[in-house]
Amino acid sequence: MNKKSILFLVLSVCFALTACGSKTSETEEKASAASTDSEQPVAVQTADSSAAQLEDEEDDPTNSEEFNVSVRTFDMDSQDPGPGYEATVNNKAGKTIQVLEGRTEGYPPDMLKTFGEVWQTDINFDGHTDVLICLGWVPVSDQHFVLYDAWLFNPDEGKFICSPNFRDIYNPEVDREKKRILSHYIARDGVQRVYSALYWQPDGSLQEAGETWVVK
C-alpha cells in the first residue's frame, strides 16, 4: 500500500468518527428537548392546582386563621350619637368579606385612645375566628373598664353577626379551658381583682352564671 492509499484511509476514518459524533450530539439534544417538553405540562398542572386552591380560600373565609381588618373611625368629637367605626374585613387572599359598623359612647377624648383597635380570636369556641373592636375605656371611680363589640363569624350565613350584649362586659378575658368569658374589676383595695363568669347562649348572647371569685 502506497502513501497516498494510507493517507486516504486515515482521512476516511476521521470523517466517519466526526459524523458519528455529530449524530450523537444531535440525538442528545433531541432527548433533552423531549425531556423538557414532558416536564412543562406537570408545571402547568401544579400552577392550576394552586390557583384552584386559592379560589377555594377566597370563597371560604374560614380557611384563614386570621383576617386583615382595617378600621376607619369618624365623628370622634360627637357626643350624640357618639364616635363611629367601619371595620373592613378581608381574608388572606385580599377579598372583602364584610364591613362591620358600630358606634361607641361619647367618652372623654383620653378614653378613646384604644377606640377601633382590633382583637381576633375564637371567642365563642366554635372553631372560627371572630373579630372584636375596642370601644374605648369607661371611667368608673378610680379605675376604667375596657369594652368591645364582638362580631361572631356565622359559618351558615358566611358573615359576622354582632353579639347582642358583649359590649356590656368589662375587661373581657377568654377562658378556653372552661369555654367561658371572664369579666373583672379592681376591688376597693386597688389590688385584688373580682372575677365573674359568663357563658354563651344559643342566641349569641352571654349570661352570667353567678360565679364570682377574688384573685390577689
PDB file of all heavy atoms in Angstrom, residues 147-184:
ATOM      1  N   LEU A 147     -64.099  48.017  76.949  1.00  0.00           N
ATOM      2  CA  LEU A 147     -65.267  47.376  76.342  1.00  0.00           C
ATOM      3  C   LEU A 147     -64.993  47.054  74.875  1.00  0.00           C
ATOM      4  O   LEU A 147     -64.195  47.737  74.218  1.00  0.00           O
ATOM      5  CB  LEU A 147     -66.493  48.278  76.449  1.00  0.00           C
ATOM      6  CG  LEU A 147     -66.885  48.755  77.848  1.00  0.00           C
ATOM      7  CD1 LEU A 147     -68.120  49.653  77.772  1.00  0.00           C
ATOM      8  CD2 LEU A 147     -67.140  47.576  78.774  1.00  0.00           C
ATOM      9  N   TYR A 148     -65.678  46.035  74.371  1.00  0.00           N
ATOM     10  CA  TYR A 148     -65.527  45.613  72.972  1.00  0.00           C
ATOM     11  C   TYR A 148     -66.877  45.296  72.356  1.00  0.00           C
ATOM     12  O   TYR A 148     -67.797  44.828  73.035  1.00  0.00           O
ATOM     13  CB  TYR A 148     -64.674  44.345  72.874  1.00  0.00           C
ATOM     14  CG  TYR A 148     -63.218  44.503  73.193  1.00  0.00           C
ATOM     15  CD1 TYR A 148     -62.775  44.405  74.514  1.00  0.00           C
ATOM     16  CD2 TYR A 148     -62.280  44.720  72.194  1.00  0.00           C
ATOM     17  CE1 TYR A 148     -61.429  44.532  74.823  1.00  0.00           C
ATOM     18  CE2 TYR A 148     -60.929  44.848  72.498  1.00  0.00           C
ATOM     19  CZ  TYR A 148     -60.510  44.751  73.805  1.00  0.00           C
ATOM     20  OH  TYR A 148     -59.177  44.877  74.119  1.00  0.00           O
ATOM     21  N   ASP A 149     -66.971  45.531  71.038  1.00  0.00           N
ATOM     22  CA  ASP A 149     -68.012  44.907  70.231  1.00  0.00           C
ATOM     23  C   ASP A 149     -67.462  43.580  69.744  1.00  0.00           C
ATOM     24  O   ASP A 149     -66.323  43.522  69.240  1.00  0.00           O
ATOM     25  CB  ASP A 149     -68.364  45.772  69.013  1.00  0.00           C
ATOM     26  CG  ASP A 149     -69.565  46.672  69.271  1.00  0.00           C
ATOM     27  OD1 ASP A 149     -70.253  46.480  70.286  1.00  0.00           O
ATOM     28  OD2 ASP A 149     -69.804  47.587  68.444  1.00  0.00           O
ATOM     29  N   ALA A 150     -68.226  42.500  69.883  1.00  0.00           N
ATOM     30  CA  ALA A 150     -67.798  41.175  69.424  1.00  0.00           C
ATOM     31  C   ALA A 150     -68.599  40.790  68.187  1.00  0.00           C
ATOM     32  O   ALA A 150     -69.829  40.680  68.243  1.00  0.00           O
ATOM     33  CB  ALA A 150     -67.982  40.135  70.519  1.00  0.00           C
ATOM     34  N   TRP A 151     -67.897  40.606  67.073  1.00  0.00           N
ATOM     35  CA  TRP A 151     -68.516  40.168  65.822  1.00  0.00           C
ATOM     36  C   TRP A 151     -68.184  38.696  65.632  1.00  0.00           C
ATOM     37  O   TRP A 151     -67.041  38.322  65.407  1.00  0.00           O
ATOM     38  CB  TRP A 151     -67.998  41.002  64.656  1.00  0.00           C
ATOM     39  CG  TRP A 151     -68.453  42.430  64.702  1.00  0.00           C
ATOM     40  CD1 TRP A 151     -67.872  43.465  65.376  1.00  0.00           C
ATOM     41  CD2 TRP A 151     -69.602  42.970  64.057  1.00  0.00           C
ATOM     42  NE1 TRP A 151     -68.585  44.630  65.188  1.00  0.00           N
ATOM     43  CE2 TRP A 151     -69.650  44.363  64.372  1.00  0.00           C
ATOM     44  CE3 TRP A 151     -70.596  42.436  63.229  1.00  0.00           C
ATOM     45  CZ2 TRP A 151     -70.645  45.201  63.900  1.00  0.00           C
ATOM     46  CZ3 TRP A 151     -71.587  43.275  62.749  1.00  0.00           C
ATOM     47  CH2 TRP A 151     -71.613  44.634  63.081  1.00  0.00           C
ATOM     48  N   LEU A 152     -69.206  37.855  65.757  1.00  0.00           N
ATOM     49  CA  LEU A 152     -69.040  36.403  65.706  1.00  0.00           C
ATOM     50  C   LEU A 152     -69.264  35.900  64.286  1.00  0.00           C
ATOM     51  O   LEU A 152     -70.270  36.238  63.652  1.00  0.00           O
ATOM     52  CB  LEU A 152     -70.024  35.715  66.658  1.00  0.00           C
ATOM     53  CG  LEU A 152     -70.076  36.276  68.086  1.00  0.00           C
ATOM     54  CD1 LEU A 152     -71.122  35.535  68.907  1.00  0.00           C
ATOM     55  CD2 LEU A 152     -68.718  36.194  68.749  1.00  0.00           C
ATOM     56  N   PHE A 153     -68.322  35.079  63.791  1.00  0.00           N
ATOM     57  CA  PHE A 153     -68.493  34.549  62.443  1.00  0.00           C
ATOM     58  C   PHE A 153     -69.530  33.433  62.446  1.00  0.00           C
ATOM     59  O   PHE A 153     -69.438  32.478  63.212  1.00  0.00           O
ATOM     60  CB  PHE A 153     -67.180  34.022  61.879  1.00  0.00           C
ATOM     61  CG  PHE A 153     -67.309  33.575  60.449  1.00  0.00           C
ATOM     62  CD1 PHE A 153     -67.331  34.504  59.422  1.00  0.00           C
ATOM     63  CD2 PHE A 153     -67.434  32.231  60.133  1.00  0.00           C
ATOM     64  CE1 PHE A 153     -67.465  34.104  58.104  1.00  0.00           C
ATOM     65  CE2 PHE A 153     -67.573  31.822  58.822  1.00  0.00           C
ATOM     66  CZ  PHE A 153     -67.592  32.755  57.803  1.00  0.00           C
ATOM     67  N   ASN A 154     -70.527  33.573  61.566  1.00  0.00           N
ATOM     68  CA  ASN A 154     -71.576  32.566  61.415  1.00  0.00           C
ATOM     69  C   ASN A 154     -71.288  31.772  60.140  1.00  0.00           C
ATOM     70  O   ASN A 154     -71.462  32.291  59.032  1.00  0.00           O
ATOM     71  CB  ASN A 154     -72.950  33.239  61.326  1.00  0.00           C
ATOM     72  CG  ASN A 154     -74.093  32.241  61.317  1.00  0.00           C
ATOM     73  OD1 ASN A 154     -74.013  31.210  60.658  1.00  0.00           O
ATOM     74  ND2 ASN A 154     -75.160  32.554  62.032  1.00  0.00           N
ATOM     75  N   PRO A 155     -70.836  30.516  60.259  1.00  0.00           N
ATOM     76  CA  PRO A 155     -70.460  29.751  59.059  1.00  0.00           C
ATOM     77  C   PRO A 155     -71.644  29.444  58.152  1.00  0.00           C
ATOM     78  O   PRO A 155     -71.475  29.264  56.954  1.00  0.00           O
ATOM     79  CB  PRO A 155     -69.846  28.470  59.643  1.00  0.00           C
ATOM     80  CG  PRO A 155     -70.422  28.355  61.015  1.00  0.00           C
ATOM     81  CD  PRO A 155     -70.618  29.762  61.506  1.00  0.00           C
ATOM     82  N   ASP A 156     -72.855  29.370  58.701  1.00  0.00           N
ATOM     83  CA  ASP A 156     -74.033  29.078  57.876  1.00  0.00           C
ATOM     84  C   ASP A 156     -74.369  30.249  56.957  1.00  0.00           C
ATOM     85  O   ASP A 156     -74.768  30.056  55.808  1.00  0.00           O
ATOM     86  CB  ASP A 156     -75.237  28.760  58.771  1.00  0.00           C
ATOM     87  CG  ASP A 156     -75.029  27.488  59.581  1.00  0.00           C
ATOM     88  OD1 ASP A 156     -74.306  26.592  59.088  1.00  0.00           O
ATOM     89  OD2 ASP A 156     -75.563  27.392  60.696  1.00  0.00           O
ATOM     90  N   GLU A 157     -74.209  31.471  57.457  1.00  0.00           N
ATOM     91  CA  GLU A 157     -74.508  32.654  56.659  1.00  0.00           C
ATOM     92  C   GLU A 157     -73.280  33.218  55.982  1.00  0.00           C
ATOM     93  O   GLU A 157     -73.389  34.075  55.090  1.00  0.00           O
ATOM     94  CB  GLU A 157     -75.165  33.720  57.541  1.00  0.00           C
ATOM     95  CG  GLU A 157     -76.489  33.277  58.168  1.00  0.00           C
ATOM     96  CD  GLU A 157     -77.168  34.418  58.919  1.00  0.00           C
ATOM     97  OE1 GLU A 157     -76.843  35.588  58.641  1.00  0.00           O
ATOM     98  OE2 GLU A 157     -78.008  34.122  59.782  1.00  0.00           O
ATOM     99  N   GLY A 158     -72.096  32.776  56.408  1.00  0.00           N
ATOM    100  CA  GLY A 158     -70.873  33.256  55.799  1.00  0.00           C
ATOM    101  C   GLY A 158     -70.571  34.707  56.104  1.00  0.00           C
ATOM    102  O   GLY A 158     -69.932  35.403  55.310  1.00  0.00           O
ATOM    103  N   LYS A 159     -71.026  35.192  57.265  1.00  0.00           N
ATOM    104  CA  LYS A 159     -70.762  36.583  57.636  1.00  0.00           C
ATOM    105  C   LYS A 159     -70.687  36.711  59.152  1.00  0.00           C
ATOM    106  O   LYS A 159     -70.970  35.759  59.892  1.00  0.00           O
ATOM    107  CB  LYS A 159     -71.851  37.506  57.090  1.00  0.00           C
ATOM    108  CG  LYS A 159     -73.232  37.264  57.684  1.00  0.00           C
ATOM    109  CD  LYS A 159     -74.254  38.242  57.113  1.00  0.00           C
ATOM    110  CE  LYS A 159     -75.623  38.076  57.758  1.00  0.00           C
ATOM    111  NZ  LYS A 159     -76.600  39.042  57.213  1.00  0.00           N
ATOM    112  N   PHE A 160     -70.309  37.910  59.591  1.00  0.00           N
ATOM    113  CA  PHE A 160     -70.178  38.189  61.018  1.00  0.00           C
ATOM    114  C   PHE A 160     -71.475  38.799  61.565  1.00  0.00           C
ATOM    115  O   PHE A 160     -72.111  39.618  60.912  1.00  0.00           O
ATOM    116  CB  PHE A 160     -69.023  39.153  61.274  1.00  0.00           C
ATOM    117  CG  PHE A 160     -67.674  38.593  60.931  1.00  0.00           C
ATOM    118  CD1 PHE A 160     -67.167  38.718  59.647  1.00  0.00           C
ATOM    119  CD2 PHE A 160     -66.920  37.933  61.880  1.00  0.00           C
ATOM    120  CE1 PHE A 160     -65.915  38.208  59.324  1.00  0.00           C
ATOM    121  CE2 PHE A 160     -65.671  37.409  61.570  1.00  0.00           C
ATOM    122  CZ  PHE A 160     -65.178  37.551  60.284  1.00  0.00           C
ATOM    123  N   ILE A 161     -71.826  38.394  62.787  1.00  0.00           N
ATOM    124  CA  ILE A 161     -73.014  38.915  63.460  1.00  0.00           C
ATOM    125  C   ILE A 161     -72.584  39.468  64.810  1.00  0.00           C
ATOM    126  O   ILE A 161     -71.866  38.803  65.565  1.00  0.00           O
ATOM    127  CB  ILE A 161     -74.077  37.809  63.641  1.00  0.00           C
ATOM    128  CG1 ILE A 161     -74.517  37.281  62.266  1.00  0.00           C
ATOM    129  CG2 ILE A 161     -75.277  38.345  64.424  1.00  0.00           C
ATOM    130  CD1 ILE A 161     -75.483  36.120  62.339  1.00  0.00           C
ATOM    131  N   CYS A 162     -73.018  40.673  65.110  1.00  0.00           N
ATOM    132  CA  CYS A 162     -72.615  41.320  66.356  1.00  0.00           C
ATOM    133  C   CYS A 162     -73.336  40.694  67.542  1.00  0.00           C
ATOM    134  O   CYS A 162     -74.564  40.546  67.542  1.00  0.00           O
ATOM    135  CB  CYS A 162     -72.923  42.818  66.293  1.00  0.00           C
ATOM    136  SG  CYS A 162     -72.138  43.776  67.615  1.00  0.00           S
ATOM    137  N   SER A 163     -72.576  40.301  68.550  1.00  0.00           N
ATOM    138  CA  SER A 163     -73.161  39.717  69.761  1.00  0.00           C
ATOM    139  C   SER A 163     -73.981  40.780  70.484  1.00  0.00           C
ATOM    140  O   SER A 163     -73.518  41.909  70.675  1.00  0.00           O
ATOM    141  CB  SER A 163     -72.060  39.192  70.671  1.00  0.00           C
ATOM    142  OG  SER A 163     -72.591  38.704  71.882  1.00  0.00           O
ATOM    143  N   PRO A 164     -75.207  40.448  70.912  1.00  0.00           N
ATOM    144  CA  PRO A 164     -76.117  41.454  71.471  1.00  0.00           C
ATOM    145  C   PRO A 164     -75.592  42.214  72.680  1.00  0.00           C
ATOM    146  O   PRO A 164     -75.751  43.430  72.777  1.00  0.00           O
ATOM    147  CB  PRO A 164     -77.369  40.640  71.838  1.00  0.00           C
ATOM    148  CG  PRO A 164     -77.278  39.384  71.050  1.00  0.00           C
ATOM    149  CD  PRO A 164     -75.831  39.118  70.857  1.00  0.00           C
ATOM    150  N   ASN A 165     -74.951  41.512  73.619  1.00  0.00           N
ATOM    151  CA  ASN A 165     -74.608  42.190  74.878  1.00  0.00           C
ATOM    152  C   ASN A 165     -73.139  42.062  75.263  1.00  0.00           C
ATOM    153  O   ASN A 165     -72.775  42.303  76.411  1.00  0.00           O
ATOM    154  CB  ASN A 165     -75.474  41.644  76.026  1.00  0.00           C
ATOM    155  CG  ASN A 165     -75.207  40.173  76.315  1.00  0.00           C
ATOM    156  OD1 ASN A 165     -74.796  39.423  75.442  1.00  0.00           O
ATOM    157  ND2 ASN A 165     -75.438  39.762  77.557  1.00  0.00           N
ATOM    158  N   PHE A 166     -72.279  41.706  74.296  1.00  0.00           N
ATOM    159  CA  PHE A 166     -70.872  41.562  74.649  1.00  0.00           C
ATOM    160  C   PHE A 166     -70.268  42.900  75.075  1.00  0.00           C
ATOM    161  O   PHE A 166     -69.400  42.945  75.951  1.00  0.00           O
ATOM    162  CB  PHE A 166     -70.078  40.997  73.472  1.00  0.00           C
ATOM    163  CG  PHE A 166     -68.695  40.535  73.846  1.00  0.00           C
ATOM    164  CD1 PHE A 166     -68.465  39.221  74.212  1.00  0.00           C
ATOM    165  CD2 PHE A 166     -67.627  41.416  73.857  1.00  0.00           C
ATOM    166  CE1 PHE A 166     -67.195  38.785  74.569  1.00  0.00           C
ATOM    167  CE2 PHE A 166     -66.355  41.000  74.217  1.00  0.00           C
ATOM    168  CZ  PHE A 166     -66.138  39.678  74.582  1.00  0.00           C
ATOM    169  N   ARG A 167     -70.749  43.983  74.498  1.00  0.00           N
ATOM    170  CA  ARG A 167     -70.186  45.290  74.834  1.00  0.00           C
ATOM    171  C   ARG A 167     -70.497  45.717  76.265  1.00  0.00           C
ATOM    172  O   ARG A 167     -69.936  46.698  76.752  1.00  0.00           O
ATOM    173  CB  ARG A 167     -70.688  46.357  73.857  1.00  0.00           C
ATOM    174  CG  ARG A 167     -72.188  46.583  73.872  1.00  0.00           C
ATOM    175  CD  ARG A 167     -72.576  47.911  73.213  1.00  0.00           C
ATOM    176  NE  ARG A 167     -71.928  48.122  71.926  1.00  0.00           N
ATOM    177  CZ  ARG A 167     -71.798  49.314  71.359  1.00  0.00           C
ATOM    178  NH1 ARG A 167     -72.253  50.389  71.960  1.00  0.00           N
ATOM    179  NH2 ARG A 167     -71.231  49.435  70.181  1.00  0.00           N
ATOM    180  N   ASP A 168     -71.357  45.007  76.938  1.00  0.00           N
ATOM    181  CA  ASP A 168     -71.659  45.314  78.340  1.00  0.00           C
ATOM    182  C   ASP A 168     -70.680  44.631  79.308  1.00  0.00           C
ATOM    183  O   ASP A 168     -70.757  44.851  80.520  1.00  0.00           O
ATOM    184  CB  ASP A 168     -73.081  44.868  78.681  1.00  0.00           C
ATOM    185  CG  ASP A 168     -74.124  45.594  77.845  1.00  0.00           C
ATOM    186  OD1 ASP A 168     -73.891  46.775  77.504  1.00  0.00           O
ATOM    187  OD2 ASP A 168     -75.174  44.988  77.532  1.00  0.00           O
ATOM    188  N   ILE A 169     -69.783  43.815  78.769  1.00  0.00           N
ATOM    189  CA  ILE A 169     -68.843  43.065  79.617  1.00  0.00           C
ATOM    190  C   ILE A 169     -67.560  43.873  79.769  1.00  0.00           C
ATOM    191  O   ILE A 169     -66.930  44.259  78.784  1.00  0.00           O
ATOM    192  CB  ILE A 169     -68.527  41.702  78.990  1.00  0.00           C
ATOM    193  CG1 ILE A 169     -69.819  40.904  78.820  1.00  0.00           C
ATOM    194  CG2 ILE A 169     -67.536  40.920  79.850  1.00  0.00           C
ATOM    195  CD1 ILE A 169     -69.654  39.669  77.982  1.00  0.00           C
ATOM    196  N   TYR A 170     -67.169  44.167  80.996  1.00  0.00           N
ATOM    197  CA  TYR A 170     -65.995  44.985  81.231  1.00  0.00           C
ATOM    198  C   TYR A 170     -64.744  44.118  81.384  1.00  0.00           C
ATOM    199  O   TYR A 170     -64.775  43.068  82.010  1.00  0.00           O
ATOM    200  CB  TYR A 170     -66.181  45.877  82.463  1.00  0.00           C
ATOM    201  CG  TYR A 170     -66.874  45.228  83.628  1.00  0.00           C
ATOM    202  CD1 TYR A 170     -66.176  44.459  84.558  1.00  0.00           C
ATOM    203  CD2 TYR A 170     -68.259  45.363  83.799  1.00  0.00           C
ATOM    204  CE1 TYR A 170     -66.812  43.848  85.629  1.00  0.00           C
ATOM    205  CE2 TYR A 170     -68.896  44.753  84.870  1.00  0.00           C
ATOM    206  CZ  TYR A 170     -68.176  43.998  85.770  1.00  0.00           C
ATOM    207  OH  TYR A 170     -68.822  43.389  86.819  1.00  0.00           O
ATOM    208  N   ASN A 171     -63.678  44.568  80.759  1.00  0.00           N
ATOM    209  CA  ASN A 171     -62.385  43.876  80.789  1.00  0.00           C
ATOM    210  C   ASN A 171     -62.522  42.383  80.456  1.00  0.00           C
ATOM    211  O   ASN A 171     -62.123  41.523  81.244  1.00  0.00           O
ATOM    212  CB  ASN A 171     -61.733  44.027  82.172  1.00  0.00           C
ATOM    213  CG  ASN A 171     -61.550  45.476  82.574  1.00  0.00           C
ATOM    214  OD1 ASN A 171     -61.261  46.328  81.738  1.00  0.00           O
ATOM    215  ND2 ASN A 171     -61.726  45.762  83.860  1.00  0.00           N
ATOM    216  N   PRO A 172     -63.071  42.043  79.289  1.00  0.00           N
ATOM    217  CA  PRO A 172     -63.314  40.623  78.976  1.00  0.00           C
ATOM    218  C   PRO A 172     -62.028  39.826  78.791  1.00  0.00           C
ATOM    219  O   PRO A 172     -61.031  40.326  78.263  1.00  0.00           O
ATOM    220  CB  PRO A 172     -64.112  40.690  77.671  1.00  0.00           C
ATOM    221  CG  PRO A 172     -63.690  41.975  77.045  1.00  0.00           C
ATOM    222  CD  PRO A 172     -63.464  42.932  78.179  1.00  0.00           C
ATOM    223  N   GLU A 173     -62.064  38.593  79.255  1.00  0.00           N
ATOM    224  CA  GLU A 173     -60.982  37.637  79.054  1.00  0.00           C
ATOM    225  C   GLU A 173     -61.593  36.322  78.580  1.00  0.00           C
ATOM    226  O   GLU A 173     -62.751  36.023  78.867  1.00  0.00           O
ATOM    227  CB  GLU A 173     -60.198  37.408  80.355  1.00  0.00           C
ATOM    228  CG  GLU A 173     -59.540  38.657  80.916  1.00  0.00           C
ATOM    229  CD  GLU A 173     -58.816  38.399  82.230  1.00  0.00           C
ATOM    230  OE1 GLU A 173     -58.510  37.214  82.512  1.00  0.00           O
ATOM    231  OE2 GLU A 173     -58.581  39.356  82.981  1.00  0.00           O
ATOM    232  N   VAL A 174     -60.789  35.531  77.861  1.00  0.00           N
ATOM    233  CA  VAL A 174     -61.270  34.258  77.314  1.00  0.00           C
ATOM    234  C   VAL A 174     -60.707  33.101  78.124  1.00  0.00           C
ATOM    235  O   VAL A 174     -59.492  32.966  78.275  1.00  0.00           O
ATOM    236  CB  VAL A 174     -60.858  34.109  75.833  1.00  0.00           C
ATOM    237  CG1 VAL A 174     -61.362  32.785  75.268  1.00  0.00           C
ATOM    238  CG2 VAL A 174     -61.385  35.275  75.006  1.00  0.00           C
ATOM    239  N   ASP A 175     -61.594  32.278  78.661  1.00  0.00           N
ATOM    240  CA  ASP A 175     -61.201  31.067  79.395  1.00  0.00           C
ATOM    241  C   ASP A 175     -61.500  29.872  78.497  1.00  0.00           C
ATOM    242  O   ASP A 175     -62.617  29.349  78.480  1.00  0.00           O
ATOM    243  CB  ASP A 175     -61.985  30.975  80.706  1.00  0.00           C
ATOM    244  CG  ASP A 175     -61.571  29.769  81.558  1.00  0.00           C
ATOM    245  OD1 ASP A 175     -60.749  28.962  81.079  1.00  0.00           O
ATOM    246  OD2 ASP A 175     -62.068  29.642  82.688  1.00  0.00           O
ATOM    247  N   ARG A 176     -60.473  29.423  77.738  1.00  0.00           N
ATOM    248  CA  ARG A 176     -60.692  28.348  76.773  1.00  0.00           C
ATOM    249  C   ARG A 176     -60.891  26.991  77.439  1.00  0.00           C
ATOM    250  O   ARG A 176     -61.600  26.137  76.917  1.00  0.00           O
ATOM    251  CB  ARG A 176     -59.518  28.285  75.796  1.00  0.00           C
ATOM    252  CG  ARG A 176     -59.350  29.561  75.006  1.00  0.00           C
ATOM    253  CD  ARG A 176     -58.464  29.372  73.792  1.00  0.00           C
ATOM    254  NE  ARG A 176     -58.364  30.628  73.071  1.00  0.00           N
ATOM    255  CZ  ARG A 176     -59.315  31.116  72.291  1.00  0.00           C
ATOM    256  NH1 ARG A 176     -60.437  30.440  72.135  1.00  0.00           N
ATOM    257  NH2 ARG A 176     -59.167  32.267  71.681  1.00  0.00           N
ATOM    258  N   GLU A 177     -60.280  26.812  78.581  1.00  0.00           N
ATOM    259  CA  GLU A 177     -60.385  25.519  79.262  1.00  0.00           C
ATOM    260  C   GLU A 177     -61.828  25.208  79.640  1.00  0.00           C
ATOM    261  O   GLU A 177     -62.316  24.098  79.434  1.00  0.00           O
ATOM    262  CB  GLU A 177     -59.492  25.514  80.501  1.00  0.00           C
ATOM    263  CG  GLU A 177     -59.508  24.195  81.245  1.00  0.00           C
ATOM    264  CD  GLU A 177     -58.604  24.197  82.466  1.00  0.00           C
ATOM    265  OE1 GLU A 177     -57.888  25.203  82.682  1.00  0.00           O
ATOM    266  OE2 GLU A 177     -58.624  23.203  83.202  1.00  0.00           O
ATOM    267  N   LYS A 178     -62.530  26.212  80.172  1.00  0.00           N
ATOM    268  CA  LYS A 178     -63.916  26.001  80.597  1.00  0.00           C
ATOM    269  C   LYS A 178     -64.930  26.617  79.632  1.00  0.00           C
ATOM    270  O   LYS A 178     -66.123  26.634  79.913  1.00  0.00           O
ATOM    271  CB  LYS A 178     -64.107  26.580  82.000  1.00  0.00           C
ATOM    272  CG  LYS A 178     -63.263  25.870  83.052  1.00  0.00           C
ATOM    273  CD  LYS A 178     -63.567  26.389  84.448  1.00  0.00           C
ATOM    274  CE  LYS A 178     -62.753  25.628  85.496  1.00  0.00           C
ATOM    275  NZ  LYS A 178     -63.039  26.117  86.872  1.00  0.00           N
ATOM    276  N   LYS A 179     -64.434  27.124  78.499  1.00  0.00           N
ATOM    277  CA  LYS A 179     -65.282  27.695  77.450  1.00  0.00           C
ATOM    278  C   LYS A 179     -66.255  28.730  78.011  1.00  0.00           C
ATOM    279  O   LYS A 179     -67.474  28.586  77.931  1.00  0.00           O
ATOM    280  CB  LYS A 179     -66.033  26.583  76.711  1.00  0.00           C
ATOM    281  CG  LYS A 179     -65.107  25.673  75.917  1.00  0.00           C
ATOM    282  CD  LYS A 179     -65.884  24.661  75.089  1.00  0.00           C
ATOM    283  CE  LYS A 179     -64.920  23.819  74.253  1.00  0.00           C
ATOM    284  NZ  LYS A 179     -65.647  22.841  73.410  1.00  0.00           N
ATOM    285  N   ARG A 180     -65.665  29.772  78.565  1.00  0.00           N
ATOM    286  CA  ARG A 180     -66.465  30.837  79.133  1.00  0.00           C
ATOM    287  C   ARG A 180     -65.711  32.159  78.987  1.00  0.00           C
ATOM    288  O   ARG A 180     -64.522  32.186  78.687  1.00  0.00           O
ATOM    289  CB  ARG A 180     -66.754  30.565  80.609  1.00  0.00           C
ATOM    290  CG  ARG A 180     -65.493  30.430  81.457  1.00  0.00           C
ATOM    291  CD  ARG A 180     -65.802  30.043  82.887  1.00  0.00           C
ATOM    292  NE  ARG A 180     -64.566  29.968  83.690  1.00  0.00           N
ATOM    293  CZ  ARG A 180     -64.550  29.703  84.993  1.00  0.00           C
ATOM    294  NH1 ARG A 180     -65.679  29.476  85.645  1.00  0.00           N
ATOM    295  NH2 ARG A 180     -63.396  29.656  85.645  1.00  0.00           N
ATOM    296  N   ILE A 181     -66.448  33.245  79.197  1.00  0.00           N
ATOM    297  CA  ILE A 181     -65.866  34.578  79.159  1.00  0.00           C
ATOM    298  C   ILE A 181     -65.798  35.104  80.589  1.00  0.00           C
ATOM    299  O   ILE A 181     -66.763  34.975  81.354  1.00  0.00           O
ATOM    300  CB  ILE A 181     -66.697  35.526  78.286  1.00  0.00           C
ATOM    301  CG1 ILE A 181     -66.800  34.969  76.860  1.00  0.00           C
ATOM    302  CG2 ILE A 181     -66.083  36.917  78.270  1.00  0.00           C
ATOM    303  CD1 ILE A 181     -65.471  34.804  76.166  1.00  0.00           C
ATOM    304  N   LEU A 182     -64.654  35.671  80.939  1.00  0.00           N
ATOM    305  CA  LEU A 182     -64.471  36.215  82.281  1.00  0.00           C
ATOM    306  C   LEU A 182     -64.517  37.740  82.227  1.00  0.00           C
ATOM    307  O   LEU A 182     -64.080  38.362  81.256  1.00  0.00           O
ATOM    308  CB  LEU A 182     -63.135  35.757  82.870  1.00  0.00           C
ATOM    309  CG  LEU A 182     -62.877  34.248  82.897  1.00  0.00           C
ATOM    310  CD1 LEU A 182     -61.521  33.961  83.525  1.00  0.00           C
ATOM    311  CD2 LEU A 182     -63.990  33.520  83.646  1.00  0.00           C
ATOM    312  N   SER A 183     -65.040  38.311  83.286  1.00  0.00           N
ATOM    313  CA  SER A 183     -65.077  39.757  83.437  1.00  0.00           C
ATOM    314  C   SER A 183     -64.523  40.089  84.820  1.00  0.00           C
ATOM    315  O   SER A 183     -64.699  39.313  85.770  1.00  0.00           O
ATOM    316  CB  SER A 183     -66.520  40.269  83.310  1.00  0.00           C
ATOM    317  OG  SER A 183     -66.589  41.653  83.529  1.00  0.00           O
ATOM    318  N   HIS A 184     -63.827  41.230  84.931  1.00  0.00           N
ATOM    319  CA  HIS A 184     -63.289  41.555  86.252  1.00  0.00           C
ATOM    320  C   HIS A 184     -63.232  43.066  86.475  1.00  0.00           C
ATOM    321  O   HIS A 184     -63.258  43.857  85.525  1.00  0.00           O
ATOM    322  CB  HIS A 184     -61.884  40.963  86.418  1.00  0.00           C
ATOM    323  CG  HIS A 184     -60.813  41.752  85.727  1.00  0.00           C
ATOM    324  ND1 HIS A 184     -60.418  41.480  84.437  1.00  0.00           N
ATOM    325  CD2 HIS A 184     -60.051  42.803  86.144  1.00  0.00           C
ATOM    326  CE1 HIS A 184     -59.473  42.322  84.084  1.00  0.00           C
ATOM    327  NE2 HIS A 184     -59.220  43.141  85.092  1.00  0.00           N
TER     328      HIS A 184
END
